[in-house]
Amino acid sequence: MVDDGRPTRDVVTQIRAVGAALDAVGLSLVERDARQRFEDSATSPEAVDALVADLAHLMGR
């Protein structure tokens, strides 16, 4: 888009759309992983702690 001379606004809009799509995929993966952990572990405290740590990491904390 940049090489084609598209306006900066259009380029940034597309970049944001890609970012939102990646966020949605990431959230879907986290949800799948969380469900699997709870099924596999019968919701042990360790599984909950691990999930919370992973979520905190994904959120940049």
Side-chain angles (χ1 to χ4, degrees):
M1 290 179 74
V2 172
D3 289 342
D4 293 338
R6 300 286 298 269
T8 300
R9 181 182 179 129
D10 292 348
V11 175
V12 172
T13 298
Q14 289 300 312
I15 291 169
R16 292 187 68 197
V18 169
L22 290 172
D23 287 345
V25 169
L27 182 57
S28 176
L29 291 172
V30 168
E31 180 182 0
R32 186 180 70 180
D33 182 60
R35 290 180 187 280
Q36 185 68 44
R37 286 187 194 197
F38 285 121
E39 289 171 5
D40 290 349
S41 67
T43 318
S44 72
E46 294 82 13
V48 174
D49 290 344
L51 178 59
V52 169
D54 286 348
L55 291 173
H57 173 75
L58 290 170
M59 296 175 75
R61 296 183 181 185

